[in-house]
Amino acid sequence: MSLATAATPVDMSSKATALIARKRLITLAVPLVILAYFIYVFFAFDLLGLRERARLDNAVALVSDTYSYKTHVERNNRNGEIEVSVEGERKGTYDATNYPSWVTVGEEVTQIALDDGGTIEINGDIVRFDVPGFGLIEATQSRSDGVSLNLDTADLPDWISYSNTRLTVTTDAARLTLTKARTEVFVYEFGWELFWFTLDSPYYDHSFSEIAFGDPIDPTRSNLTGAWQDFWNNSIWRHGDVAWALFETVLMAFLGTFGAAIIALPLAFLAARNFAPLVAIRMAARRLFDFLRGVDGLIWTILLSRAFGPGPMTGALAILFTDTGSFGKLFSEALENVDGKQIEGVASTGAKPLQRYRFGVIPQIVPVLLSQVLYFLESNTRSATIIGAITGGGIGLLLTQAMITHKDWEEVSYYIILVVLLVMAMDSFSGWLRRKLIKGE
């Protein structure tokens, strides 16, 4: 036995001991590193401060706004005029002949009957809010003295906010706001009011059976035709504009995805090792793909908006740039794994190089190509919503506009539902198309 290969029991024992000690050290170090990371996150993201800043009442109001609507009863304290409207919309203002049944507008006094049995009375500059279980809240406003209250302002409940210039009373049934300029009452009701027809439509407040089977409501139009026209041209919910916005969103995703696939396929041959023998060409093609997909789609959107201005085409170009890099990498890897024997078989027939690619290469990568392109189309349909919010096109633009108002949250939930349904539809369509084109089902 040579000295080089000989090993004493002491050497083997020391190596085993060192290996066990190293494993124990790693076992102890990993939990400590994870614990240190979570401690860092706890302080870096200020989780305690986040808890203090959280407003449960705002969260509840936001959620309720998504499935309900507010009826505004407003008195202009300067001229005494009363206006009743849905969400404060001018296009949703009631006239004196069709006020809600729980609002009674008189010459001097306006009375509001609430669902919990409470009442609100607006009598000139005096407002009385009778809250069940609490009692009467009476406030008076004047231009000289501001807002005065009949309660002890030093001991007010949390749901009453008072200052010399403003009073806010919030209950489950209504919210009252009083300032020098106006008196406002907001009453929440379930549903999306005016979703089908606006107040100026003759079909408002008519049931489906009355429209479908009843006598003509508008003598100039048939019921179904008139109802469809008033629904499609609804000036508040804008169903026609929403449908066009959804089409723009799909169009952005379609043009960006398939445009990227068309550009990436020939470039992928330059990045594949078995089709581009020159290292410089391969490296240049691969670095181009890395650059295109390394820059996020939102960054491309901002850059292209600056260069070409807002619009759906800018969003399509942003998707095209990003997906060209992703497709180039995927397609080049698929090309490097093709079967060379099939290419040799086509070449043996005397086929030219382009014919070899067409009949020997493309059929092999078509399943991968179609699968990836259709998957990216489905994903880009969702991404086009965010891109459209930046470029000013598609459903993303309408979604952003509704959020900016801070009051049209029922429209926000409507647009989100449409986006989810659109993504589901694109998922089903792409799955069906994959089965048809790849599996032949």
Side-chain angles (χ1 to χ4, degrees):
M1 181 181 296
S2 65
L3 295 176
T5 58
T8 64
V10 176
D11 294 335
M12 297 295 293
S13 177
S14 62
K15 290 181 179 179
T17 302
L19 181 61
I20 294 173
R22 189 180 298 112
K23 288 183 177 179
R24 288 178 178 176
L25 181 62
I26 294 174
T27 303
L28 293 174
V30 171
L32 290 176
V33 171
I34 295 175
L35 178 61
Y37 172 75
F38 280 110
I39 293 175
Y40 168 77
V41 169
F42 182 82
F43 290 101
F45 290 90
D46 191 18
L47 296 184
L48 289 177
L50 181 64
R51 180 181 178 182
E52 294 176 357
R53 293 190 300 269
R55 293 285 304 274
L56 182 60
D57 54 342
N58 287 345
V60 172
L62 175 62
V63 172
S64 64
D65 280 344
T66 62
Y67 62 82
S68 61
Y69 68 96
K70 297 188 296 293
T71 301
H72 295 202
V73 181
E74 178 181 335
R75 178 184 186 269
N76 189 320
N77 291 334
R78 291 188 174 90
N79 55 29
E81 292 183 356
I82 296 289
E83 182 179 273
V84 183
S85 61
V86 176
E87 295 291 351
E89 295 276 359
R90 293 296 178 185
K91 299 175 182 177
T93 302
Y94 293 93
D95 57 37
T97 63
N98 64 348
Y99 287 139
S101 58
W102 46 269
V103 178
T104 303
V105 179
E107 294 183 0
E108 297 293 336
V109 180
T110 297
Q111 292 184 332
I112 302 169
L114 303 178
D115 291 339
D116 62 352
T119 59
I120 298 177
E121 180 183 286
I122 304 174
N123 186 358
D125 294 334
I126 303 174
V127 180
R128 299 181 179 91
F129 192 167
D130 188 3
V131 181
F134 180 80
L136 181 65
I137 301 172
E138 182 174 303
T140 305
Q141 68 81 25
S142 65
R143 296 185 180 181
S144 58
D145 299 331
V147 179
S148 59
L149 191 62
N150 69 324
L151 303 177
D152 182 6
T153 58
D155 188 24
L156 294 176
D158 295 338
W159 45 275
I160 300 179
S161 175
Y162 171 75
S163 69
N164 186 49
T165 58
R166 185 183 186 90
L167 168 68
T168 301
V169 181
T170 304
T171 67
D172 293 336
R175 184 171 82 248
L176 166 68
T177 300
L178 175 63
T179 63
K180 293 181 181 180
R182 59 177 56 87
T183 302
E184 294 178 288
V185 178
F186 306 89
V187 178
Y188 280 86
E189 297 183 79
F190 181 78
W192 291 348
E193 184 70 349
L194 310 184
F195 179 81
W196 301 103
F197 309 109
T198 55
L199 294 174
D200 56 358
S201 171
Y203 303 97
Y204 175 75
D205 208 23
H206 285 274
S207 65
F208 174 78
S209 59
E210 290 176 331
I211 295 174
F213 308 108
D215 296 331
I217 299 173
D218 184 351
T220 63
R221 301 176 293 177
S222 67
N223 281 353
L224 293 179
T225 300
W228 171 254
Q229 290 174 347
D230 287 4
F231 168 78
W232 189 253
N233 298 313
N234 188 313
S235 58
I236 294 179
W237 287 86
R238 301 183 298 170
H239 298 298
D241 295 337
V242 171
W244 176 252
L246 287 174
F247 173 75
E248 282 188 344
T249 300
V250 175
L251 187 62
M252 277 193 289
F254 180 84
L255 292 178
T257 304
F258 282 92
I262 293 172
I263 295 173
L265 183 58
L267 293 177
F269 282 92
L270 301 178
R273 183 177 294 104
N274 50 342
F275 291 96
L278 296 178
V279 177
I281 295 178
R282 292 204 308 271
M283 293 299 292
R286 291 180 180 182
R287 297 296 78 79
L288 175 63
F289 295 150
D290 291 341
F291 170 71
L292 290 175
R293 76 173 186 274
V295 179
D296 189 78
L298 291 179
I299 298 177
W300 279 122
T301 303
I302 296 172
L303 295 175
L304 293 171
S305 297
R306 178 72 174 175
F308 301 105
M313 196 62 194
T314 302
L317 287 175
I319 295 174
L320 184 146
F321 277 28
T322 304
D323 285 2
T324 296
S326 300
F327 284 150
K329 179 177 174 59
L330 294 172
F331 294 171
S332 63
E333 292 177 352
L335 288 170
E336 290 178 349
N337 293 317
V338 297
D339 185 6
K341 294 182 180 180
Q342 184 170 335
I343 302 174
E344 293 174 0
V346 175
S348 65
T349 63
K352 298 179 180 179
L354 288 179
Q355 293 174 326
R356 298 173 194 173
Y357 295 155
R358 166 63 182 84
F359 298 102
V361 178
I362 299 299
Q364 295 188 58
I365 66 171
V366 161
V368 176
L369 188 150
L370 287 178
S371 179
Q372 293 296 334
V373 169
L374 292 176
Y375 170 76
F376 272 72
L377 176 62
E378 170 197 335
S379 177
N380 287 334
T381 303
R382 181 180 61 254
S383 301
T385 302
I386 306 302
I387 291 176
I390 299 175
T391 61
I395 195 68
L397 175 62
L398 299 181
L399 186 61
T400 304
Q401 291 175 342
M403 288 181 175
I404 289 175
T405 62
H406 292 288
K407 66 183 183 67
D408 297 329
W409 292 105
E410 68 280 5
E411 293 184 19
V412 172
S413 58
Y414 173 47
Y415 299 147
I416 291 176
I417 290 172
L418 290 178
V419 170
V420 172
L421 293 177
L422 179 62
V423 172
M424 292 172 61
M426 293 301 297
D427 177 42
S428 301
F429 171 74
S430 63
W432 172 81
L433 198 57
R434 276 195 296 268
R435 291 191 298 270
K436 285 289 184 181
L437 297 179
I438 298 175
K439 298 182 180 180
E441 296 180 359

